[in-house]
Amino acid sequence: MAPGMWLSHECYNDEKRINVSGLELSLNALASYPYPYLPILENTDDATWFPTLSKHETGNHKRLKRTTSIAESIGSNIGFNYSGGSSITIDSIDGSIARNSSTTSLNNRPKLHFRDHIWNYTQRYLAAEAMEEAAAAIIGSSEERTEEDGGRDGVRLVQLLISCAEAVACRDKSHASALLSELRDNTLVFGSSFQRVASCFVQGLADRLALVQPLGTVGFIAPSMNIMDTASEKKEEALRLVYDICPHIQFGHFVANSAILEAFEGENFVHVVDLGMTLGLSHGHQWRRLLQNLANRAGQPPCLRITGVGLGVERFQIIGDGLEAYADSLGINLEFSAVESNLENLRPEDIEVHDGEVLVVNSILQLHCVVKESRGALNSVLRIIHELSPKVLVLVEQDSSLNGPFFLGRFMEALHYYSAIFDSLDAMLPKYDTRRAKMEQFYFAEEIKNIVSCEGPARVERHERVDQWRRRMSRAGFQAAPIKILSQAKQWLTKINACEGYTIVEEKGCLVLGWKSKPIVAVSCWKC
């Protein structure tokens, strides 16, 4: 429990209030709350407040008012007992509040211990603080862009987006549709960076609204898939542009190859298992650079095996054939093989390991796709990797908390995260550059729409912060292997002529690429 947190309940003229660290919640007020429910979500065991911008607070001093949603503020049917034998029960399904003359109505309901109440309210308070900070950052950045763009009302656009997200979460179709119509009039594919990113979120909100089902039904049902495994020609072109223009993926490849080369030092037989096979990039860029580095090292280069794992082995085999020919031109013996399997169905026997070889596992923007609600899929994959006993596992992931249990919290964090990315694209390319439009609409917009519109198995873009990955990896039996190439990474960033504004920092042994202090991609290494 956070320092200074406390919980009390008081009775004033039959009005029941709960006080959490100075934030007072009137239960009578909840009964008249205009939205008696908020979104059907995957996890309703916790609770949170959602920030709403006050119409009186759009001046220089921008703050967020904390309002309470019923379905998310009380995860299951919870009763609060007060003096005098009366009780108040809040139903998590429809948000109704029932007053009973005695506490016997709670006998058939799940009872929470006092420590559970404290934990729930602590989580709400911390979630509210995090969302307020994200919203304030978004508003601040939009204000800067507003001045640059000649007086565009960026703050108003933020307000509309948040209001629309709340209406969609509440399943208020008429209000959400009206807000979407207004948003479409104010978001342009070739507008300011925030207008462009807002247009992607508008698409996601519209898709989510179209999937809204009547109350009592749960989830958004669609087959589980990895977006990059079913990429269209336009998506593949957008991926190539992201690789060539943005340093995000190249940064992951550079740090991963440095860690792999260190693991291969002094070894004669080495084996790399590539989960996702370099995102399907047609030329196998990461492994071509590794082969170059191996050829330039003193001494006889080791015999190298690469196993690509993923769907679409025909494409992988074409990449592998090209890598074998390139390795042969460098005098390196390379053997390539492919395993057709998604990560959730991967088995230890699928990976052929030879005696005497050193194994490395490489995951570039892949493992977040198996972070499901139950964590069973990810745990299964990590258990298989652990059984292979690799010398090092290189993990490259987007560094953002986009897998929270609450839709509005994910929406705010995603808006903050992708606003920074679109801002960086604004600095790198001219306003009407079609390459930028392709990257935004066919790569980043696809991620945004998946985060905003999908739930359940269909939501595969489940990015998490490096601290969350650290906890997951530790629970799976892995130990952190600190990356100590910060100076080399900064030199690399200068060498590729990355746009000014990109930074690389070390965070507890991991390297993080950011844009103007906003983390974008993190690389960590792990050993068994």
Side-chain angles (χ1 to χ4, degrees):
M1 181 174 174
M5 289 296 296
W6 53 274
L7 169 69
S8 69
H9 59 266
E10 302 172 281
C11 299
Y12 296 106
N13 300 325
D14 197 37
E15 182 174 14
K16 310 300 186 293
R17 294 178 177 273
I18 300 172
N19 195 302
V20 182
S21 189
L23 294 175
E24 194 170 56
L25 170 63
S26 169
L27 296 180
N28 287 350
L30 291 178
S32 60
Y33 188 70
Y35 292 129
Y37 51 84
L38 270 180
I40 297 295
L41 300 170
E42 300 141 311
N43 183 348
T44 56
D45 294 332
D46 302 329
T48 189
W49 284 291
F50 299 115
T52 303
L53 291 171
S54 169
K55 64 181 179 180
H56 303 296
E57 296 179 314
T58 58
N60 294 329
H61 181 62
K62 309 272 188 321
R63 294 290 294 169
L64 295 174
K65 296 178 65 178
R66 294 192 178 111
T67 61
T68 306
S69 64
I70 300 298
E72 293 189 25
S73 64
I74 306 295
S76 58
N77 295 331
I78 300 173
F80 295 94
N81 292 325
Y82 294 87
S83 58
S86 64
S87 68
I88 295 179
T89 302
I90 303 179
D91 195 308
S92 65
I93 301 302
D94 59 8
S96 62
I97 300 177
R99 300 176 184 271
N100 303 296
S101 60
S102 69
T103 60
T104 57
S105 63
L106 300 179
N107 291 341
N108 296 326
R109 299 182 182 275
K111 294 183 179 179
L112 296 181
H113 296 293
F114 184 73
R115 69 177 63 181
D116 297 321
H117 291 303
I118 295 296
W119 186 87
N120 277 336
Y121 282 101
T122 301
Q123 293 301 109
R124 281 182 246 177
Y125 181 74
L126 295 176
E129 282 191 330
M131 290 178 64
E132 182 176 278
E133 290 174 0
I138 295 167
I139 292 171
S141 61
S142 68
E143 284 180 309
E144 295 176 1
R145 283 185 288 270
T146 296
E147 295 177 0
E148 296 172 0
D149 295 335
R152 296 184 187 277
D153 194 359
V155 174
R156 174 60 177 164
L157 193 54
V158 173
Q159 289 177 314
L160 285 173
L161 277 171
I162 296 175
S163 297
C164 186
E166 289 177 334
V168 171
C170 294
R171 301 182 177 188
D172 187 342
K173 284 194 170 184
S174 60
H175 185 45
S177 297
L179 289 171
L180 282 171
S181 178
E182 186 174 356
L183 280 165
R184 289 190 180 101
D185 292 337
N186 290 277
T187 56
L188 305 171
V189 174
F190 286 103
S192 66
S193 63
F194 193 73
Q195 285 180 320
R196 299 195 312 274
V197 75
S199 71
C200 299
F201 279 87
V202 169
Q203 295 174 44
L205 288 172
D207 291 346
R208 187 180 183 92
L209 187 64
L211 292 171
V212 164
Q213 301 175 25
L215 281 176
T217 57
V218 178
F220 299 76
I221 307 216
S224 176
M225 64 180 67
N226 183 324
I227 291 177
M228 299 314 303
D229 285 336
T230 58
S232 66
E233 184 177 338
K234 290 182 178 179
K235 291 179 183 177
E236 290 178 352
E237 181 185 4
L239 173 61
R240 291 194 298 271
L241 290 171
V242 170
Y243 179 84
D244 292 334
I245 296 173
C246 301
H248 307 171
I249 302 174
Q250 290 189 52
F251 168 73
H253 286 177
F254 171 79
V255 181
N257 281 354
S258 299
I260 292 170
L261 287 169
E262 182 179 347
F264 287 175
E265 191 69 43
E267 301 292 344
N268 295 322
F269 300 95
V270 294
H271 183 188
V272 176
V273 176
D274 187 5
L275 307 181
M277 193 54 200
T278 67
L279 294 172
L281 287 162
S282 58
H283 296 292
H285 298 288
Q286 179 179 3
W287 306 128
R288 286 178 179 265
R289 287 187 168 84
L290 181 68
L291 290 168
Q292 292 171 6
N293 292 329
L294 288 173
N296 293 333
R297 290 205 311 190
Q300 180 68 22
C303 295
L304 177 63
R305 293 179 62 220
I306 296 178
T307 300
V309 178
L311 301 178
V313 293
E314 295 84 3
R315 185 171 74 251
F316 290 173
Q317 195 60 55
I318 294 173
I319 297 172
D321 292 342
L323 289 174
E324 288 179 343
Y326 183 67
D328 187 60
S329 69
L330 297 174
I332 298 176
N333 182 19
L334 170 64
E335 177 186 338
F336 179 85
S337 61
V339 174
E340 184 162 20
S341 173
N342 59 26
L343 296 183
E344 295 182 50
N345 297 323
L346 187 64
R347 301 169 300 172
E349 54 267 28
D350 292 334
I351 308 299
E352 184 181 356
V353 181
H354 297 168
D355 293 336
E357 69 180 12
V358 174
L359 182 68
V360 169
V361 177
N362 182 75
S363 175
I364 308 292
L365 309 181
Q366 291 297 311
L367 284 185
H368 70 268
C369 295
V370 290
V371 179
K372 305 299 184 181
E373 296 88 343
S374 65
R375 298 198 297 269
L378 177 64
N379 291 340
S380 175
V381 174
L382 293 179
R383 184 171 58 252
I384 290 171
I385 295 174
H386 199 278
E387 289 179 11
L388 294 173
S389 298
K391 189 172 183 179
V392 66
L393 162 63
V394 182
L395 178 64
V396 179
E397 287 293 344
Q398 294 96 328
D399 191 26
S400 186
S401 184
L402 302 181
N403 191 38
F406 306 112
F407 166 66
L408 286 176
R410 293 199 308 268
F411 182 89
M412 295 294 293
E413 179 64 25
L415 190 57
H416 192 196
Y417 178 77
Y418 286 99
S419 292
I421 291 179
F422 276 56
D423 189 46
S424 70
L425 295 173
D426 221 28
M428 287 187 289
L429 294 171
K431 182 175 182 179
Y432 294 103
D433 196 313
T434 57
R435 294 175 299 170
R436 187 178 68 181
K438 289 177 180 178
M439 288 188 290
E440 291 174 347
Q441 295 300 313
F442 297 112
Y443 184 81
F444 294 114
E446 291 299 317
E447 291 185 353
I448 292 171
K449 287 189 290 185
N450 187 264
I451 293 166
V452 173
S453 67
C454 296
E455 294 293 351
R459 182 159 61 87
V460 296
E461 298 296 339
R462 296 173 176 267
H463 312 150
E464 296 190 332
R465 296 300 306 271
V466 67
D467 284 340
Q468 294 168 300
W469 280 109
R470 188 176 289 110
R471 289 189 289 270
R472 291 186 183 278
M473 300 301 291
S474 296
R475 286 196 296 264
F478 290 90
Q479 297 178 346
I483 303 173
K484 301 177 180 179
I485 58 166
L486 178 60
S487 59
Q488 295 94 312
K490 289 182 176 180
Q491 292 173 6
W492 168 84
L493 192 62
T494 302
K495 183 179 179 181
I496 67 169
N497 296 319
C499 180
E500 184 178 354
Y502 278 107
T503 59
I504 296 178
V505 298
E506 184 178 354
E507 182 179 327
K508 299 179 181 178
C510 306
L511 290 187
V512 181
L513 175 74
W515 172 255
K516 295 181 178 178
S517 77
K518 175 62 180 175
I520 302 296
V521 175
V523 185
S524 58
C525 289
W526 305 90
K527 58 184 179 181
C528 296

